Amino acid sequence: MWIQTIICLLVFAVAGCLAIPLGKYLSRVYRDERSLLDFLKPLETRLYRFCHINEKAGMNWKQYLSAIFVVNTIWFVWAIFILLIQGKLFLNPAHNPSMEWSLALNSAISFLTSTNLQHYSGESGATYLSQMGVFMFLQFVSAATSLSAGIAVVRGLSMGTSSDLGNFYKDFVRSLFRILLPLSLIVAVLFVFNGIPMTFHGPDKIVGMSGDSVQVATGPAAAMIPIKELGSNGGGFFAANDAHPFENPNFFTFLIHCIIVLLLPMAFVFCVGEYLKSKRFGRMLFAIMTIGFLLVTIPIIVQETRRNPALSDIGILNMSGNMEGKEVRFGSFYSAFYSGVNMVVPAGTLVAAHDSYMPLGSVGMLVGMHIDAFFGGLGTGWINMFLYLIIAVFIATLMIGRTPELFGRKIELREIQVASLVSVGQMLVPTLFTALACFVYVHYPGGNASLQWLSNKGYHGFTTFLYEFVSSMAGNGSEFSGLGNNTVFWNLTTSVVMLCGRFLPIVGALAIAGSLRQKKPAPFSGGSLTVDSSTFGAFLFILIILLNALSFLPAFMLGPLAEHLSLH
């Protein structure tokens, strides 16, 4: 276990070391300073001219948000149109059918919101055209949108008194051309050389030793997999996700998966410090995010490497830990570590079935997803941390009798109201929909026999419902496989939750950033609160834990904690 621990720490260290120069590069890109890929400027300029976009025009928060909504609406219409008729289109060598309307709606919203909740099976539910022209495309543009929204919020704290938060189209194009596409290309080459398929041929037919003919799905997987990790997306080309040998052929590719999931969310934290010319602030954020990451991941590892008491009670010695639902190539330790990484960074990729994890392990998953600020999603993790910052600064200054300020800008009633409403909404939406699902499950004629939702009832069944909606709200997309979720009810309800989880924090954060941007910065004085100190960092971390514990502890008592006690 010590060797495994050292390897996981090295993975985290490598990601952190790569994130420091990448964070500086991000800052230079968004500050419009000289950077490595400046030779792409002519191509970007031609694209602006072709689309009749004035990339030099500044946008206030309302204009920035309107641009986000307009392009997202266009992408949504494109996605659902293709999914509804994919069975009749080209690049479909496996002859997969078109999607049912509620599944098409759910899948389009899922990838549009960077959630990548998959109620379909990758090999049989989507054609090559859908995989590349819809799902891979949406993973790129949704990640670029997240980066753009995140940097717009950073600008709200930077020096200046105008209402300008930048230009969305310029931020979006640079996020694509100068960050996501180059990194994805490098990773894709590594993946291809390690055995991940990149072909447009149909499924291969293999004759087994018994003479049976088996179809093995392939496809252009190497092009899609890098952006699912780099963009905090998580949608797998195959149903088994990273447990599939074509998505994750060996231990080297497993390590690459771990590093690139963490890379850009870490880099964005350093970018914040560089952009605001406060490296100490960036280091403070990185420190509390790292502590949060450890507090989420370590309990999952501890739970999964212990013996399952249900098996021990019947005399089965499970010395390798809880191996139920685990990929034997990676075992319980690496599977639990990978789960922790993909809970704090809501990519939601899997190398094991989360439905088979120990109950207290699922608590760590739920906490990591719900907080979504311990690194968090690409750009959106910073947005959630920004909302916590607003609340923390307000409460801290009330406690010490100072004026609430963040980087010289006063925080007033409007900012607190918006941050509080978003925070309450993020807690309320998944719990309300969980209650709705429980009500339907109990009162629907015939119950589970008719609905066929749960393979595991009782406490675990409640956790399954809660996990589905928390994952949808957090933009994570992972799920408990014991839930029969490809139904109209689950497709529609999770679609609503995913839209709330995506746009509620973005709208709130941009509104606050726009309001702060218009205020005249006050000079720092002895009465100002220092937000880059270790003391404030500790206060911020405790506030995040308390807010989320108070909101979700009752739900944990009804589900995973009750299940854990029942095992003992």
Side-chain angles (χ1 to χ4, degrees):
M1 187 175 292
W2 283 108
I3 295 177
Q4 296 167 320
T5 302
I6 292 171
I7 290 175
C8 291
L9 290 175
L10 286 175
V11 165
F12 188 87
V14 169
C17 291
L18 292 174
I20 295 173
L22 184 56
K24 294 179 181 179
Y25 171 74
L26 294 180
S27 177
R28 297 185 69 85
V29 167
Y30 291 120
R31 277 186 170 277
D32 205 12
E33 298 173 351
R34 290 185 61 184
S35 60
L36 183 63
L37 299 180
D38 278 349
F39 64 87
L40 293 174
K41 274 187 178 181
L43 176 62
E44 295 169 353
T45 302
R46 290 190 182 93
L47 181 61
Y48 297 137
R49 298 295 172 265
F50 178 78
C51 297
H52 300 284
I53 292 172
N54 180 10
E55 78 281 8
K56 297 179 181 179
M59 295 180 174
N60 59 34
W61 75 270
K62 293 180 181 178
Q63 293 169 324
Y64 206 97
L65 191 61
S66 296
I68 291 176
F69 282 142
V70 167
V71 295
N72 274 265
T73 301
I74 295 171
W75 298 332
F76 170 73
V77 173
W78 161 260
I80 197 169
F81 173 74
I82 295 297
L83 295 178
L84 286 172
I85 62 171
Q86 66 173 5
K88 302 177 181 178
L89 299 176
F90 53 96
L91 288 179
N92 186 16
H95 306 291
N96 293 337
S98 300
M99 286 190 180
E100 180 264 340
W101 72 270
S102 68
L103 179 60
L105 176 71
N106 180 274
S107 300
I109 290 175
S110 176
F111 281 79
L112 181 74
T113 58
S114 198
T115 307
N116 295 16
L117 182 74
Q118 294 177 283
H119 286 178
Y120 66 93
S121 178
E123 301 95 321
S124 59
T127 66
Y128 292 171
L129 177 65
S130 298
Q131 294 275 29
M132 299 190 69
V134 175
F135 298 139
M136 188 177 74
F137 167 76
L138 288 179
Q139 289 189 77
F140 272 104
V141 296
S142 64
T145 301
S146 299
L147 274 171
S148 302
I151 203 65
V153 173
V154 176
R155 290 196 187 102
L157 298 176
S158 61
M159 298 301 293
T161 56
S162 70
S163 60
D164 181 8
L165 292 181
N167 184 289
F168 168 74
Y169 300 109
K170 184 176 182 179
D171 292 337
F172 174 79
V173 169
R174 291 198 167 190
S175 298
L176 275 178
F177 286 6
R178 304 199 183 193
I179 301 167
L180 296 173
L181 281 169
L183 288 174
S184 296
L185 180 61
I186 294 170
V187 176
V189 172
L190 290 174
F191 280 162
V192 167
F193 279 104
N194 277 275
I196 295 180
M198 185 62 198
T199 177
F200 288 97
H201 293 299
D204 290 331
K205 292 183 179 180
I206 298 176
V207 179
M209 294 181 66
S210 60
D212 297 331
S213 179
V214 180
Q215 281 198 340
V216 179
T218 58
M224 180 175 174
I225 295 171
I227 189 58
K228 85 167 187 179
E229 310 283 20
L230 287 164
S232 305
N233 291 298
F237 193 94
F238 302 97
N241 214 289
D242 283 354
H244 197 290
F246 284 174
E247 288 202 24
N248 199 2
N250 52 54
F251 192 68
F252 177 68
T253 58
F254 173 77
L255 295 178
I256 294 177
H257 278 288
C258 293
I259 291 171
I260 63 176
V261 168
L262 290 166
L263 181 59
L264 280 172
M266 282 183 171
F268 199 88
V269 177
F270 292 113
C271 172
V272 172
E274 289 284 339
Y275 199 100
L276 296 176
K277 300 187 183 304
S278 178
K279 293 183 180 180
R280 189 178 175 186
F281 178 69
R283 289 194 295 267
M284 183 272 291
L285 289 181
F286 188 86
I288 64 173
M289 289 178 178
T290 299
I291 294 171
F293 166 74
L294 293 174
L295 289 181
V296 168
T297 306
I298 291 175
I300 300 176
I301 294 175
V302 170
Q303 287 296 309
E304 294 310 303
T305 52
R306 288 178 176 174
R307 300 179 185 181
N308 187 330
L311 295 178
S312 299
D313 289 344
I314 59 176
I316 298 177
L317 294 178
N318 46 341
M319 301 299 293
S320 300
N322 178 32
M323 282 299 294
E324 180 189 347
K326 302 296 190 300
E327 166 59 63
V328 294
R329 293 180 298 160
F330 308 120
S332 57
F333 191 100
Y334 290 124
S335 296
F337 172 73
Y338 196 66
S339 174
V341 169
N342 282 277
M343 294 302 106
V344 295
V345 178
T349 54
L350 310 172
V351 293
H354 286 183
D355 193 33
S356 299
Y357 277 57
M358 300 303 294
L360 293 187
S362 65
V363 171
M365 298 178 199
L366 289 165
V367 169
M369 287 190 296
H370 180 66
I371 292 177
D372 196 16
F374 296 149
F375 298 116
L378 180 55
T380 55
W382 152 250
I383 285 175
N384 287 316
M385 182 59 76
F386 171 74
L387 295 169
Y388 286 124
L389 269 169
I390 297 294
I391 298 173
V393 167
F394 180 73
I395 295 176
T397 50
L398 284 180
M399 294 171 65
I400 60 178
R402 297 182 182 179
T403 303
E405 294 177 0
L406 185 59
F407 286 92
R409 289 180 165 81
K410 291 184 179 181
I411 297 174
E412 298 175 311
L413 180 62
R414 181 186 177 188
E415 291 80 35
I416 292 298
Q417 286 177 330
V418 174
S420 300
L421 284 172
V422 173
S423 180
V424 170
Q426 288 180 306
M427 299 172 186
L428 193 61
V429 170
T431 51
L432 280 177
F433 275 89
T434 301
L436 174 64
C438 291
F439 179 84
V440 173
Y441 178 82
V442 171
H443 293 280
Y444 191 87
N448 192 50
S450 298
L451 295 171
Q452 296 183 341
W453 282 357
L454 293 176
S455 59
N456 294 290
K457 303 178 184 178
Y459 306 127
H460 191 87
F462 176 81
T463 307
T464 301
F465 287 173
L466 179 66
Y467 191 102
E468 184 81 359
F469 288 119
V470 172
S471 175
S472 299
M473 188 72 187
N476 185 279
S478 63
E479 55 192 356
F480 276 19
S481 53
L483 177 65
N485 50 20
N486 187 15
T487 65
V488 174
F489 176 87
W490 287 105
N491 286 336
L492 295 183
T493 53
T494 53
S495 293
V496 173
V497 175
M498 286 187 288
L499 288 172
C500 292
R502 174 66 165 179
F503 294 109
L504 189 62
I506 288 179
V507 171
L510 285 176
I512 294 173
S515 176
L516 293 177
R517 181 72 174 168
Q518 294 176 349
K519 298 177 181 181
K520 184 178 180 180
F524 187 84
S525 66
S528 302
L529 178 68
T530 304
V531 295
D532 57 2
S533 66
S534 57
T535 302
F536 178 77
F539 177 78
L540 173 62
F541 179 79
I542 293 170
L543 175 78
I544 293 172
I545 298 299
L546 287 178
L547 284 177
N548 289 277
L550 290 172
S551 62
F552 264 78
L553 185 59
F556 292 161
M557 291 297 297
L558 291 172
L561 294 179
E563 184 183 0
H564 171 75
L565 294 175
S566 70
L567 289 175
H568 297 273

